[in-house]
Amino acid sequence: MEISHGYSLKKHNTFGISAFAKAYTSITTIQQLEEALAYFVGTEKFLLGGGSNMLILNDIEKPVLQINLNGIEIVKEDGNKVHLKVMAGENWHELVLYCVNNNFAGIENLALIPGNTGTAPIQNIGAYGVELKDVFVSCEVMDLETRAVKTLTKADCNFGYRDSIFKNEALGKFVITSVTLELTDLAKTNGYQLKVDYGAIKEEMQQLPGEDTIGKVAQAVINIRTSKLPDPKVIGNSGSFFKNPVIDKETYHKLVESFPDMPSYQVNDQQVKVPAGWLIDKSGFKGKRYGDAGVHDRQALVLVNHGNATGMEILSVARDIQKNVKETYGIVIETEVNLIEN
């Protein structure tokens, strides 16, 4: 285990925030993880994955452990189902492509989501009508203090909309070392139903050649996300900064009286989801820039770093947006991105 001091995290967060770790180590084996946890025992740790879905607000005083565990293996086959164990450091989008290439269906709608597999359960990542929990079987975790290893099932993880046990009662308790997914082996079935009714997937697929396959779904999602979302390698961002708010239908119908073009997606008989990007766009923030912090000009849901913005400057823009949306619509929009302090 090697420890670096005063280590720059600029290349390790997709926002491109210039911040430093007082102590940093890269974890590539379970043994290294055990050694690092033993070395920093009694000290609060900061676990770093692919650096997506987070905004660093200042330098990190806690020791930073970047989880770079790699490996993918089939651990179970049952009929047309396959259980895939994926180590936490595997890039999520590369995993999606691996599954498409091997005819394993279930996560094709989640193409091009930034970050690593180990952080996917924390957020219960989702897009275009699919969430991680739909294919999640279990994950292996290590207790940060005792270093005990245990397996958490789907029920244990208590998944919600962009939510899980890891953001609540288990916050700061475990490090996820691997995730096991149940996918459909298309070589053993003809009955798999593609999920193409959410967003513009169906329309985008009509523009692509060939028969409808999971590869075509993934490519459609890639095309849509590429057209809407900026590449973090080009301009710093962490994808969708805010959650889409869920409100009751009575509130929505009252709002439509004043804002007749307000879109919605039904959640259940009592609730609808309103696109946060629409609320932000209509509030006049789309494309706005405040120094090097700003809002993307094609997708109002995305806050961006034009070069040298600090985390606090980007957070200030986010707070202004939240305040304006609340005053205009009476709707509270919550951050989807995790705010990292010290």
Side-chain angles (χ1 to χ4, degrees):
M1 180 185 71
E2 294 184 8
I3 301 174
S4 300
H5 298 279
Y7 185 85
S8 174
L9 299 173
K10 187 176 179 68
K11 293 182 179 180
H12 296 291
N13 71 98
T14 61
F15 254 118
I17 300 297
S18 181
F20 293 85
K22 188 174 182 179
Y24 166 93
T25 185
S26 172
I27 305 296
T28 59
T29 68
I30 296 296
Q31 181 180 345
Q32 284 181 347
L33 178 58
E34 292 174 336
E35 291 174 357
L37 294 181
Y39 183 83
F40 292 113
V41 68
T43 303
E44 190 176 356
K45 275 77 68 177
F46 177 65
L47 304 176
L48 178 63
S52 65
N53 203 54
M54 68 180 199
L55 177 64
I56 302 177
L57 301 179
N58 39 42
D59 291 341
I60 307 297
E61 294 297 318
K62 307 167 189 172
V64 175
L65 280 56
Q66 185 162 32
I67 309 303
N68 291 320
L69 302 168
N70 293 118
I72 302 174
E73 65 172 319
I74 296 172
V75 293
K76 180 181 178 182
E77 294 182 76
D78 184 8
N80 66 354
K81 298 296 183 182
V82 58
H83 284 204
L84 208 62
K85 181 179 178 180
V86 187
M87 299 304 289
E90 290 289 338
N91 176 270
W92 177 262
H93 178 62
E94 293 300 322
L95 171 63
V96 173
L97 297 182
Y98 169 92
C99 291
V100 167
N101 290 335
N102 284 277
N103 282 318
F104 298 153
I107 59 174
E108 56 276 2
N109 291 54
L110 305 181
L112 215 61
I113 292 180
N116 291 349
T117 301
T119 54
I122 298 173
Q123 197 73 4
N124 182 27
I125 60 171
Y128 298 102
V130 174
E131 290 183 312
L132 178 73
K133 68 178 180 62
D134 299 334
V135 296
F136 183 91
V137 175
S138 63
C139 62
E140 290 184 353
V141 301
M142 185 179 290
D143 189 292
L144 290 174
E145 292 306 318
T146 68
R147 301 188 294 286
V149 176
K150 64 187 298 185
T151 299
L152 299 181
T153 66
K154 182 191 295 190
D156 292 332
C157 292
N158 195 24
F159 289 123
Y161 173 57
R162 303 298 177 268
D163 198 19
S164 71
I165 190 176
F166 302 106
K167 297 179 76 172
N168 298 290
E169 57 264 45
L171 179 65
K173 186 175 181 180
F174 300 117
V175 52
I176 298 171
T177 57
S178 70
V179 176
T180 299
L181 307 176
E182 182 180 77
L183 305 169
T184 301
D185 187 346
L186 297 182
K188 298 178 180 179
T189 183
N190 293 317
Y192 182 74
Q193 185 69 43
L194 298 175
K195 298 176 179 64
V196 298
D197 293 329
Y198 197 100
I201 294 181
K202 190 176 295 184
E203 291 81 358
E204 182 64 31
M205 288 179 67
Q206 291 173 353
Q207 308 302 315
L208 300 174
E211 61 182 280
D212 291 349
T213 62
I214 58 171
K216 195 171 179 180
V217 172
Q219 189 59 55
V221 171
I222 290 169
N223 292 353
I224 295 167
R225 292 183 72 93
T226 301
S227 70
K228 290 183 176 181
L229 301 174
D231 184 346
K233 295 176 183 176
V234 178
I235 184 169
N237 75 92
S238 196
S240 299
F241 197 92
F242 299 100
K243 298 178 184 179
N244 291 319
V246 175
I247 62 175
D248 62 80
K249 285 188 174 181
E250 183 179 351
T251 299
Y252 174 72
H253 290 311
K254 288 180 180 177
L255 283 167
V256 169
E257 293 177 6
S258 300
F259 309 99
D261 57 338
M262 179 182 287
S264 69
Y265 301 96
Q266 181 160 323
V267 175
N268 51 46
D269 290 340
Q270 290 80 38
Q271 297 175 307
V272 297
K273 187 183 297 181
V274 177
W278 185 91
L279 296 170
I280 299 166
D281 187 359
K282 293 299 181 180
S283 297
F285 284 96
K286 189 175 183 179
K288 288 290 185 69
R289 180 170 177 170
Y290 309 85
D292 272 359
V295 182
H296 193 243
D297 57 4
R298 295 202 311 270
Q299 174 51 269
L301 198 56
V302 178
L303 303 191
V304 294
N305 176 8
H306 288 282
N308 295 304
T310 65
M312 293 302 295
E313 288 170 342
I314 291 171
L315 180 61
S316 177
V317 175
R319 295 300 187 228
D320 284 347
I321 290 172
Q322 289 174 310
K323 179 182 178 183
N324 189 285
V325 169
K326 177 67 166 61
E327 290 175 348
T328 304
Y329 302 99
I331 295 176
V332 175
I333 54 172
E334 300 176 349
T335 58
E336 179 174 329
V337 166
N338 297 305
L339 306 177
I340 309 300
E341 296 184 84
N342 293 326

Short mmCIF file of all heavy atoms in Angstrom, two decimals, residues 201-242:
data_model
loop_
_atom_site.label_atom_id
_atom_site.label_comp_id
_atom_site.label_asym_id
_atom_site.label_seq_id
_atom_site.Cartn_x
_atom_site.Cartn_y
_atom_site.Cartn_z
N ILE A 201 -36.23 7.01 -26.65
CA ILE A 201 -35.51 5.82 -27.11
C ILE A 201 -36.12 5.24 -28.39
O ILE A 201 -35.41 4.94 -29.35
CB ILE A 201 -35.50 4.74 -26.01
CG1 ILE A 201 -34.69 5.21 -24.81
CG2 ILE A 201 -34.91 3.43 -26.55
CD1 ILE A 201 -34.61 4.20 -23.69
N LYS A 202 -37.44 5.09 -28.39
CA LYS A 202 -38.09 4.47 -29.55
C LYS A 202 -37.84 5.30 -30.82
O LYS A 202 -37.52 4.74 -31.88
CB LYS A 202 -39.60 4.36 -29.30
CG LYS A 202 -40.35 3.53 -30.33
CD LYS A 202 -41.82 3.37 -29.96
CE LYS A 202 -42.01 2.59 -28.69
NZ LYS A 202 -43.44 2.35 -28.38
N GLU A 203 -37.96 6.61 -30.71
CA GLU A 203 -37.75 7.48 -31.87
C GLU A 203 -36.30 7.40 -32.35
O GLU A 203 -36.03 7.35 -33.55
CB GLU A 203 -38.11 8.93 -31.51
CG GLU A 203 -39.58 9.18 -31.29
CD GLU A 203 -40.06 8.76 -29.91
OE1 GLU A 203 -39.22 8.24 -29.11
OE2 GLU A 203 -41.25 8.95 -29.61
N GLU A 204 -35.36 7.37 -31.39
CA GLU A 204 -33.94 7.30 -31.76
C GLU A 204 -33.62 5.96 -32.41
O GLU A 204 -32.84 5.90 -33.38
CB GLU A 204 -33.08 7.51 -30.52
CG GLU A 204 -31.58 7.51 -30.79
CD GLU A 204 -31.12 8.65 -31.68
OE1 GLU A 204 -31.74 9.73 -31.64
OE2 GLU A 204 -30.14 8.45 -32.42
N MET A 205 -34.23 4.88 -31.94
CA MET A 205 -33.97 3.57 -32.52
C MET A 205 -34.46 3.47 -33.95
O MET A 205 -33.87 2.74 -34.77
CB MET A 205 -34.64 2.49 -31.66
CG MET A 205 -33.94 2.26 -30.32
SD MET A 205 -34.75 1.00 -29.31
CE MET A 205 -34.48 -0.49 -30.28
N GLN A 206 -35.51 4.21 -34.27
CA GLN A 206 -36.03 4.20 -35.63
C GLN A 206 -35.03 4.80 -36.62
O GLN A 206 -35.10 4.53 -37.83
CB GLN A 206 -37.35 4.96 -35.69
CG GLN A 206 -38.49 4.25 -34.97
CD GLN A 206 -39.76 5.08 -34.87
OE1 GLN A 206 -39.76 6.27 -35.23
NE2 GLN A 206 -40.83 4.48 -34.40
N GLN A 207 -34.10 5.59 -36.10
CA GLN A 207 -33.08 6.20 -36.97
C GLN A 207 -31.86 5.30 -37.15
O GLN A 207 -30.98 5.60 -37.97
CB GLN A 207 -32.62 7.55 -36.36
CG GLN A 207 -33.75 8.51 -36.01
CD GLN A 207 -34.62 8.86 -37.20
OE1 GLN A 207 -34.10 9.15 -38.29
NE2 GLN A 207 -35.93 8.83 -37.00
N LEU A 208 -31.82 4.21 -36.39
CA LEU A 208 -30.67 3.31 -36.45
C LEU A 208 -30.99 2.09 -37.32
O LEU A 208 -32.12 1.60 -37.31
CB LEU A 208 -30.30 2.85 -35.04
CG LEU A 208 -29.89 3.94 -34.05
CD1 LEU A 208 -29.70 3.36 -32.65
CD2 LEU A 208 -28.61 4.64 -34.51
N PRO A 209 -30.01 1.59 -38.06
CA PRO A 209 -30.26 0.43 -38.93
C PRO A 209 -30.34 -0.87 -38.15
O PRO A 209 -29.91 -0.96 -37.00
CB PRO A 209 -29.02 0.44 -39.84
CG PRO A 209 -27.94 1.06 -39.01
CD PRO A 209 -28.63 2.11 -38.18
N GLY A 210 -30.90 -1.88 -38.78
CA GLY A 210 -30.92 -3.22 -38.21
C GLY A 210 -32.12 -3.48 -37.32
O GLY A 210 -32.93 -2.61 -37.05
N GLU A 211 -32.20 -4.73 -36.87
CA GLU A 211 -33.31 -5.14 -36.01
C GLU A 211 -33.13 -4.58 -34.60
O GLU A 211 -32.04 -4.19 -34.21
CB GLU A 211 -33.41 -6.66 -35.98
CG GLU A 211 -32.16 -7.34 -35.41
CD GLU A 211 -32.28 -8.86 -35.44
OE1 GLU A 211 -32.93 -9.40 -34.53
OE2 GLU A 211 -31.71 -9.46 -36.37
N ASP A 212 -34.22 -4.58 -33.85
CA ASP A 212 -34.18 -4.06 -32.49
C ASP A 212 -33.51 -5.07 -31.56
O ASP A 212 -33.97 -6.20 -31.41
CB ASP A 212 -35.59 -3.74 -31.99
CG ASP A 212 -36.19 -2.55 -32.72
OD1 ASP A 212 -35.44 -1.87 -33.43
OD2 ASP A 212 -37.39 -2.29 -32.55
N THR A 213 -32.41 -4.67 -30.95
CA THR A 213 -31.64 -5.52 -30.04
C THR A 213 -31.24 -4.69 -28.82
O THR A 213 -31.42 -3.46 -28.79
CB THR A 213 -30.36 -6.02 -30.72
OG1 THR A 213 -29.54 -4.86 -31.05
CG2 THR A 213 -30.67 -6.81 -31.98
N ILE A 214 -30.66 -5.36 -27.81
CA ILE A 214 -30.18 -4.61 -26.66
C ILE A 214 -29.04 -3.67 -27.07
O ILE A 214 -28.88 -2.59 -26.50
CB ILE A 214 -29.73 -5.52 -25.50
CG1 ILE A 214 -28.63 -6.48 -25.94
CG2 ILE A 214 -30.93 -6.28 -24.94
CD1 ILE A 214 -28.00 -7.28 -24.78
N GLY A 215 -28.27 -4.07 -28.07
CA GLY A 215 -27.21 -3.20 -28.56
C GLY A 215 -27.77 -1.94 -29.19
O GLY A 215 -27.20 -0.85 -29.04
N LYS A 216 -28.89 -2.08 -29.88
CA LYS A 216 -29.52 -0.93 -30.50
C LYS A 216 -30.11 0.00 -29.44
O LYS A 216 -30.04 1.23 -29.57
CB LYS A 216 -30.62 -1.39 -31.47
CG LYS A 216 -31.11 -0.33 -32.44
CD LYS A 216 -32.02 -0.96 -33.48
CE LYS A 216 -32.55 0.08 -34.46
NZ LYS A 216 -33.44 -0.54 -35.48
N VAL A 217 -30.67 -0.58 -28.38
CA VAL A 217 -31.18 0.22 -27.27
C VAL A 217 -30.03 1.01 -26.63
O VAL A 217 -30.14 2.22 -26.39
CB VAL A 217 -31.87 -0.66 -26.21
CG1 VAL A 217 -32.21 0.16 -24.97
CG2 VAL A 217 -33.13 -1.30 -26.77
N ALA A 218 -28.92 0.31 -26.35
CA ALA A 218 -27.77 0.97 -25.74
C ALA A 218 -27.25 2.09 -26.62
O ALA A 218 -26.93 3.19 -26.13
CB ALA A 218 -26.66 -0.05 -25.47
N GLN A 219 -27.19 1.86 -27.94
CA GLN A 219 -26.69 2.89 -28.85
C GLN A 219 -27.64 4.08 -28.90
O GLN A 219 -27.20 5.24 -28.96
CB GLN A 219 -26.52 2.31 -30.26
CG GLN A 219 -25.81 3.27 -31.21
CD GLN A 219 -24.43 3.67 -30.73
OE1 GLN A 219 -23.58 2.81 -30.47
NE2 GLN A 219 -24.19 4.97 -30.59
N ALA A 220 -28.94 3.81 -28.85
CA ALA A 220 -29.92 4.89 -28.83
C ALA A 220 -29.74 5.75 -27.58
O ALA A 220 -29.76 6.98 -27.64
CB ALA A 220 -31.34 4.33 -28.88
N VAL A 221 -29.55 5.09 -26.44
CA VAL A 221 -29.33 5.82 -25.18
C VAL A 221 -28.04 6.62 -25.25
O VAL A 221 -27.99 7.79 -24.84
CB VAL A 221 -29.30 4.84 -23.99
CG1 VAL A 221 -28.85 5.55 -22.72
CG2 VAL A 221 -30.67 4.21 -23.78
N ILE A 222 -26.99 6.02 -25.81
CA ILE A 222 -25.71 6.72 -25.96
C ILE A 222 -25.90 7.97 -26.82
O ILE A 222 -25.41 9.05 -26.50
CB ILE A 222 -24.65 5.80 -26.58
CG1 ILE A 222 -24.26 4.70 -25.58
CG2 ILE A 222 -23.42 6.58 -27.02
CD1 ILE A 222 -23.42 3.59 -26.17
N ASN A 223 -26.62 7.82 -27.93
CA ASN A 223 -26.85 8.95 -28.83
C ASN A 223 -27.63 10.07 -28.13
O ASN A 223 -27.30 11.25 -28.27
CB ASN A 223 -27.61 8.50 -30.07
CG ASN A 223 -26.79 7.59 -30.97
OD1 ASN A 223 -25.60 7.39 -30.75
ND2 ASN A 223 -27.42 7.02 -31.98
N ILE A 224 -28.66 9.68 -27.38
CA ILE A 224 -29.49 10.68 -26.70
C ILE A 224 -28.68 11.39 -25.62
O ILE A 224 -28.69 12.63 -25.54
CB ILE A 224 -30.73 10.00 -26.06
CG1 ILE A 224 -31.65 9.45 -27.15
CG2 ILE A 224 -31.50 11.01 -25.20
CD1 ILE A 224 -32.72 8.51 -26.61
N ARG A 225 -27.96 10.61 -24.83
CA ARG A 225 -27.19 11.22 -23.74
C ARG A 225 -26.07 12.11 -24.29
O ARG A 225 -25.79 13.18 -23.74
CB ARG A 225 -26.61 10.14 -22.83
CG ARG A 225 -27.67 9.38 -22.02
CD ARG A 225 -27.03 8.36 -21.10
NE ARG A 225 -26.36 9.00 -19.99
CZ ARG A 225 -26.92 9.25 -18.80
NH1 ARG A 225 -28.17 8.90 -18.57
NH2 ARG A 225 -26.22 9.81 -17.83
N THR A 226 -25.46 11.66 -25.37
CA THR A 226 -24.39 12.46 -25.97
C THR A 226 -24.92 13.78 -26.51
O THR A 226 -24.25 14.82 -26.42
CB THR A 226 -23.71 11.67 -27.11
OG1 THR A 226 -23.18 10.45 -26.59
CG2 THR A 226 -22.58 12.47 -27.73
N SER A 227 -26.13 13.77 -27.06
CA SER A 227 -26.71 14.99 -27.61
C SER A 227 -27.14 15.97 -26.53
O SER A 227 -27.19 17.17 -26.75
CB SER A 227 -27.91 14.65 -28.50
OG SER A 227 -29.00 14.18 -27.73
N LYS A 228 -27.44 15.44 -25.34
CA LYS A 228 -27.97 16.28 -24.25
C LYS A 228 -26.95 16.62 -23.18
O LYS A 228 -27.01 17.69 -22.58
CB LYS A 228 -29.16 15.58 -23.58
CG LYS A 228 -30.42 15.50 -24.43
CD LYS A 228 -31.53 14.86 -23.62
CE LYS A 228 -32.85 14.83 -24.39
NZ LYS A 228 -33.94 14.22 -23.57
N LEU A 229 -26.05 15.68 -22.92
CA LEU A 229 -25.16 15.82 -21.77
C LEU A 229 -23.72 16.05 -22.22
O LEU A 229 -23.22 15.36 -23.11
CB LEU A 229 -25.23 14.56 -20.90
CG LEU A 229 -26.61 14.21 -20.36
CD1 LEU A 229 -26.57 12.86 -19.65
CD2 LEU A 229 -27.11 15.29 -19.41
N PRO A 230 -23.04 17.00 -21.61
CA PRO A 230 -21.66 17.28 -22.00
C PRO A 230 -20.69 16.22 -21.51
O PRO A 230 -20.92 15.58 -20.47
CB PRO A 230 -21.39 18.63 -21.30
CG PRO A 230 -22.29 18.62 -20.11
CD PRO A 230 -23.53 17.90 -20.55
N ASP A 231 -19.63 16.01 -22.26
CA ASP A 231 -18.59 15.06 -21.90
C ASP A 231 -17.72 15.67 -20.80
O ASP A 231 -17.14 16.74 -20.99
CB ASP A 231 -17.73 14.76 -23.14
CG ASP A 231 -16.68 13.69 -22.90
OD1 ASP A 231 -16.42 13.36 -21.72
OD2 ASP A 231 -16.10 13.19 -23.88
N PRO A 232 -17.61 15.01 -19.63
CA PRO A 232 -16.78 15.57 -18.55
C PRO A 232 -15.33 15.79 -18.95
O PRO A 232 -14.64 16.61 -18.33
CB PRO A 232 -16.89 14.51 -17.44
CG PRO A 232 -18.15 13.77 -17.73
CD PRO A 232 -18.26 13.76 -19.22
N LYS A 233 -14.87 15.07 -19.98
CA LYS A 233 -13.49 15.25 -20.44
C LYS A 233 -13.33 16.57 -21.20
O LYS A 233 -12.22 17.06 -21.37
CB LYS A 233 -13.08 14.08 -21.34
CG LYS A 233 -13.04 12.75 -20.60
CD LYS A 233 -12.73 11.61 -21.55
CE LYS A 233 -12.76 10.26 -20.84
NZ LYS A 233 -12.55 9.13 -21.77
N VAL A 234 -14.47 17.12 -21.63
CA VAL A 234 -14.46 18.39 -22.37
C VAL A 234 -14.81 19.56 -21.46
O VAL A 234 -14.16 20.61 -21.49
CB VAL A 234 -15.44 18.33 -23.56
CG1 VAL A 234 -15.47 19.68 -24.30
CG2 VAL A 234 -15.04 17.21 -24.52
N ILE A 235 -15.83 19.37 -20.64
CA ILE A 235 -16.23 20.40 -19.69
C ILE A 235 -16.68 19.72 -18.40
O ILE A 235 -17.46 18.76 -18.42
CB ILE A 235 -17.36 21.30 -20.27
CG1 ILE A 235 -17.70 22.43 -19.29
CG2 ILE A 235 -18.59 20.50 -20.63
CD1 ILE A 235 -18.61 23.49 -19.90
N GLY A 236 -16.15 20.19 -17.28
CA GLY A 236 -16.41 19.54 -16.01
C GLY A 236 -17.88 19.51 -15.64
O GLY A 236 -18.56 20.54 -15.69
N ASN A 237 -18.39 18.34 -15.29
CA ASN A 237 -19.78 18.20 -14.85
C ASN A 237 -19.96 16.84 -14.21
O ASN A 237 -19.08 15.98 -14.29
CB ASN A 237 -20.76 18.40 -16.02
CG ASN A 237 -20.81 17.21 -16.95
OD1 ASN A 237 -21.64 16.31 -16.79
ND2 ASN A 237 -19.92 17.18 -17.94
N SER A 238 -21.10 16.66 -13.58
CA SER A 238 -21.39 15.36 -12.96
C SER A 238 -22.76 14.86 -13.39
O SER A 238 -23.49 14.25 -12.60
CB SER A 238 -21.31 15.48 -11.44
OG SER A 238 -21.23 14.20 -10.86
N GLY A 239 -23.12 15.15 -14.64
CA GLY A 239 -24.43 14.72 -15.13
C GLY A 239 -25.55 15.48 -14.44
O GLY A 239 -25.40 16.65 -14.09
N SER A 240 -26.66 14.81 -14.24
CA SER A 240 -27.81 15.46 -13.63
C SER A 240 -27.48 15.90 -12.20
O SER A 240 -27.14 15.07 -11.36
CB SER A 240 -29.01 14.50 -13.60
OG SER A 240 -29.36 14.12 -14.92
N PHE A 241 -27.60 17.20 -11.93
CA PHE A 241 -27.24 17.72 -10.62
C PHE A 241 -28.39 17.59 -9.63
O PHE A 241 -28.18 17.49 -8.43
CB PHE A 241 -26.83 19.19 -10.74
CG PHE A 241 -26.07 19.70 -9.53
CD1 PHE A 241 -24.69 19.64 -9.50
CD2 PHE A 241 -26.73 20.23 -8.44
CE1 PHE A 241 -23.97 20.08 -8.39
CE2 PHE A 241 -26.04 20.68 -7.33
CZ PHE A 241 -24.66 20.60 -7.31
N PHE A 242 -29.63 17.60 -10.16
CA PHE A 242 -30.81 17.56 -9.30
C PHE A 242 -31.66 16.33 -9.59
O PHE A 242 -31.69 15.82 -10.71
CB PHE A 242 -31.67 18.81 -9.52
CG PHE A 242 -30.98 20.10 -9.21
CD1 PHE A 242 -30.44 20.88 -10.22
CD2 PHE A 242 -30.87 20.56 -7.90
CE1 PHE A 242 -29.80 22.08 -9.95
CE2 PHE A 242 -30.24 21.75 -7.61
CZ PHE A 242 -29.69 22.52 -8.63
#
